[in-house]
């Protein structure tokens, strides 16, 4: 049996993603209750976490999640192993797989992550690349559903840069039945390949360069930083300034709309303090849900969650 990797939401069927989301919700409900004693699919297992880029949420939530599921986390920095430099990516993956039972990686180069997963003989989990951030969007969907109910028929709005988090939201739109309205500067629009993927997979994706248009009547407004890891500043601040989420923009969304941001946020740039700290903001729930969603993803990787 090949290992069950978790690389992109586009690799999964709707049923599989729904099974993971439901498992995450149940694991969260059982946390710190006697019933959680049954949630130990990682008993006796070691899970490596390779970080070639900074992290707070991914690092902490995976480490705590692995421990709570009975496993032992092993933290390795990119600098220690010099991925792709000291030896081939394939050899690193083959060797690592002889020591540990699963590997979570954060590296910018998505091709390198895919190459690593091709040669690993244990499950590999994408902890963010330049191309996608699927663990984040699983936690985001969980958060949306906690606050607003089913994602089915909802309208999700994104304003700002087209980055890794948006790519995973586009993948989600190809698997779940919701509208995704995206406003970016023309220069920073989603790639043609991503747009093609979206239309081939029936995603209800609507692109615009006007944030007010994307946000109109939305059930959820999302943004992210203007300069992601590995980005050059270029003209980003100038291009993205009109895409800031402030209270005036939030007023265009539905009255019950929630505001989401994967964090870390640059307050005063992509989002104002008033929105971040306002009544519609669910950003800290999103951060917490990384833990629960990722426990379900780990359980999936070890065959403990079935579609
Ligand atoms: N949202 C997120 O992935 O945060 P970190 O970069 O701190 O892990
Ligand atoms: N888009 C951001 C997400 C950080 C969690 C980045 O890639 O830096």
């Amino acid at each position: 049996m090949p290992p069950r990797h978790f690389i992109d939401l586009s690799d999964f069927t709707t049923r599989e993603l729904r099974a993971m989301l439901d498992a995450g919700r149940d694991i969260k409900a059982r946390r710190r209750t006697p019933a959680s004693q049954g949630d130990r699919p990682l008993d006796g297992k070691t899970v490596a976490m390779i970080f070639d880029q900074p992290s707070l949420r991914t690092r902490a939530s995976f480490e705590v999640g692995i421990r709570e599921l009975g496993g032992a986390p092993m933290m390795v920095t990119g600098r220690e192993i010099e991925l792709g430099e000291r030896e081939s990516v394939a050899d690193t993956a083959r060797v690592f797989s002889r020591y540990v039972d699963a590997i979570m990686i954060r590296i910018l180069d998505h091709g390198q992550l895919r190459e690593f997963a091709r040669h690993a003989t244990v499950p590999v989990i994408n902890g963010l690349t330049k191309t996608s951030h699927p663990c984040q969007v699983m936690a985001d969907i969980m958060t949306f559903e906690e606050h607003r109910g089913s994602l089915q028929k909802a309208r999700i709005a994104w304003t700002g840069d087209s980055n890794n988090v948006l790519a995973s939201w586009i993948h989600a739109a190809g698997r779940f039945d919701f509208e995704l309205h995206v406003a970016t500067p023309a220069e920073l629009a989603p790639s043609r390949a991503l747009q093609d993927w979206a239309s081939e997979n029936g995603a209800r994706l609507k692109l615009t360069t006007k944030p007010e248009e994307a946000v109109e009547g939305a059930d959820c407004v999302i943004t992210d930083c203007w300069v992601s890891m590995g980005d050059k500043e270029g003209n980003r601040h100038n291009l993205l300034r009109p895409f800031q989420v402030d209270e005036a923009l939030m007023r265009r969304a539905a009255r019950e709309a929630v505001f989401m941001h994967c964090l870390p946020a640059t307050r005063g740039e992509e989002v104002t303090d008033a929105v971040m700290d306002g009544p519609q903001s669910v950003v800290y729930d999103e951060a917490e849900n990384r833990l629960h969603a990722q426990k379900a993803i780990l359980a999936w990787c070890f065959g403990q969650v079935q579609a």
Side-chain angles (χ1 to χ4, degrees):
M1 272 270 284
R4 291 176 104 170
H5 299 313
F6 186 83
I7 306 293
D8 272 312
L9 301 188
S10 52
D11 299 334
F12 296 98
T13 64
T14 308
R15 272 168 63 95
E16 289 169 331
L17 294 174
R18 178 46 64 195
M20 286 183 242
L21 288 163
D22 289 350
R25 185 200 55 216
D26 294 347
I27 287 170
K28 180 174 183 176
R30 286 195 295 270
R31 191 175 185 223
R32 304 202 199 285
T33 72
S36 69
Q37 294 311 312
D39 295 332
R40 295 180 68 84
L42 301 190
D43 250 336
K45 298 190 193 303
T46 301
V47 180
M49 304 187 292
I50 303 175
F51 280 96
D52 197 32
Q53 294 293 318
S55 170
L56 164 62
R57 282 141 287 265
T58 307
R59 159 81 206 265
S61 57
F62 263 105
E63 176 152 351
V64 171
I66 292 162
R67 285 184 199 283
E68 289 186 2
L69 294 179
M74 175 204 277
M75 168 79 179
V76 183
T77 64
R79 186 181 301 184
E80 286 167 275
I81 56 168
E82 293 183 330
L83 191 64
E85 288 171 34
R86 280 188 84 223
E87 57 196 320
S88 71
V89 170
D91 278 348
T92 309
R94 291 182 187 114
V95 171
F96 232 133
S97 302
R98 299 292 180 103
Y99 301 130
V100 302
D101 300 284
I103 304 166
M104 192 287 308
I105 318 187
R106 167 169 289 194
I107 44 171
L108 292 181
D109 186 336
H110 200 74
Q112 227 176 37
L113 174 68
R114 287 264 175 211
E115 168 81 357
F116 191 99
R118 225 179 349 268
H119 298 282
T121 52
V122 298
V124 173
I125 298 173
N126 176 1
L128 177 148
T129 68
K130 200 85 201 78
T131 307
S132 60
H133 197 2
C135 291
Q136 180 66 53
V137 173
M138 290 295 273
D140 292 357
I141 294 173
M142 188 173 165
T143 308
F144 178 84
E145 292 188 335
E146 280 176 357
H147 286 272
R148 297 298 323 271
S150 170
L151 192 58
Q152 185 100 351
K153 311 283 177 237
R155 183 179 297 176
I156 307 293
W158 175 281
T159 169
D161 187 22
S162 169
N163 62 18
N164 41 12
V165 178
L166 176 61
S168 290
W169 266 107
I170 292 175
H171 289 156
R175 295 292 179 260
F176 295 104
D177 186 18
F178 64 93
E179 287 176 41
L180 182 58
H181 291 189
V182 173
T184 66
E187 295 86 336
L188 298 174
S191 68
R192 173 50 48 200
L194 203 48
Q195 291 184 45
D196 289 346
W197 185 92
S199 45
E200 282 155 21
N201 286 272
R204 291 196 282 144
L205 173 66
K206 204 170 128 197
L207 302 183
T208 171
T209 53
K210 298 188 180 73
E212 306 76 32
E213 206 174 284
V215 163
E216 197 65 49
D219 301 297
C220 174
V221 177
I222 317 176
T223 192
D224 191 5
C225 60
W226 290 345
V227 184
S228 282
M229 291 180 255
D231 277 341
K232 295 202 174 49
E233 160 55 28
N235 196 24
R236 285 176 167 274
H237 278 73
N238 283 332
L239 288 172
L240 287 160
R241 198 157 290 122
F243 294 79
Q244 183 190 66
V245 181
D246 59 12
E247 287 173 298
L249 192 66
M250 283 305 293
R251 276 196 291 275
R252 291 180 173 267
R255 209 160 43 84
E256 306 289 316
V258 290
F259 169 73
M260 301 213 285
H261 189 309
C262 66
L263 307 183
T266 313
R267 288 165 176 259
E269 292 196 354
E270 73 271 11
V271 59
T272 59
D273 281 332
V275 172
M276 273 286 281
D277 302 327
Q280 289 167 291
S281 173
V282 295
V283 297
Y284 306 115
D285 291 343
E286 269 180 280
E288 179 190 327
N289 283 335
R290 292 290 301 277
L291 170 63
H292 312 300
Q294 287 160 192
K295 281 168 135 181
I297 291 165
L298 284 160
W300 164 271
C301 289
F302 286 99
Q304 303 288 313
V305 173
Q306 303 296 340

